[in-house]
Amino acid sequence: LRPTASWDEALAEFGQWAGSHPAARRVRLWLAGELCRPFLVPPLAGVKRHEELQRIAASLAASATGLAGACRVWVDGSAVAQAAVAAALELTVWEALDAALRSARLRPVSVRPWWSEALRICRARKPDALALACHDGSALTLLGGAGTDFSIARTFHPVADLESARAALLRAAMSAQIEDTRGGRVTLAPFEPGCAETAQADAALP
């Protein structure tokens, strides 16, 4: 789907796609940073089980991300001794997605934020990267830290254009004291015939 589409437009396009692919029964859904936002869950003394960490993360999600109401939350990994990256999606958005999938008789293999896949690729290609910035549509997501020890995980929304995204990125990197230029920057662009722009996971931060 087009990264610039509104939520209603995206659901309509999804329905059209499902109708034109009747043989498809399983799908992978990648969500933009505007919908699925990261946040940090700090180390919590006394928390030993991932299930408990998950419950605490869910209680922090709305205030940490700026999303409204109850959220569905995923916590990366199972470590509880250090800050963990979590992803939050408004429950109403999840319910709309679930209804659209059921209507089309599709089963989701996975539902994940696009920035998590960009982070996985960046780590594989550049293990010493200190930060990753993902610009998709009207959102900019910044993840930074050494290895699995994250110091920032935040989505900026709305971001009107690339210049606004670069300015927001510089401010956030400075506030998080990310001074090294080792990092990646990827942009999810609408597909256009003849367009040569591609995601560049090895680019330095601006």
Side-chain angles (χ1 to χ4, degrees), residues 5-23:
S6 70
W7 175 237
D8 289 339
E9 290 172 335
L11 282 180
E13 287 186 19
F14 178 77
Q16 292 172 3
W17 178 89
S20 62
H21 295 76

Side-chain angles (χ1 to χ4, degrees), residues 40 85 119 129-133 141-154 176 178 182 205:
L40 288 180
V85 176
L119 177 63
L130 295 180
L132 174 69
T141 299
L142 175 64
L143 303 119
T148 58
D149 187 12
F150 286 87
S151 58
I152 185 171
R154 182 179 175 187
I178 301 174
R182 286 180 297 155
L205 292 171

Side-chain angles (χ1 to χ4, degrees), residues 7 29-33 35-36 74 89 97 111-115 136:
W7 175 237
L29 295 181
W30 301 99
L31 303 178
L35 296 177
C36 199
W74 298 266
L89 175 69
L97 279 173
V111 180
R112 300 176 60 192
W114 176 73
W115 49 260
D136 53 25

Side-chain angles (χ1 to χ4, degrees), residues 79-197:
V80 295
Q82 63 185 29
V85 176
L89 175 69
E90 287 182 11
L91 193 56
T92 54
V93 173
W94 167 252
E95 290 170 347
L97 279 173
D98 186 54
L101 289 168
R102 289 176 182 273
S103 176
R105 297 183 180 180
L106 295 172
R107 182 169 64 87
V109 176
S110 67
V111 180
R112 300 176 60 192
W114 176 73
W115 49 260
S116 71
E117 179 66 4
L119 177 63
R120 183 190 67 79
I121 294 173
C122 184
R123 279 176 168 174
R125 293 183 180 178
K126 200 171 185 179
D128 63 341
L130 295 180
L132 174 69
C134 299
H135 180 223
D136 53 25
S138 60
L140 172 73
T141 299
L142 175 64
L143 303 119
T148 58
D149 187 12
F150 286 87
S151 58
I152 185 171
R154 182 179 175 187
T155 291
F156 299 86
H157 175 268
V159 175
D161 49 39
L162 283 175
E163 288 303 318
S164 299
R166 291 190 182 99
L169 173 59
L170 286 174
R171 290 193 299 269
M174 290 179 63
S175 67
Q177 298 182 336
I178 301 174
E179 298 178 356
D180 199 305
T181 57
R182 286 180 297 155
R185 183 178 69 247
V186 291
T187 297
L188 182 63
F191 173 77
E192 295 179 2
C195 179
E197 182 177 357

Side-chain angles (χ1 to χ4, degrees), residues 55-68:
R55 288 194 297 271
I56 294 173
S59 70
L60 300 173
S63 61
T65 61
L67 295 173

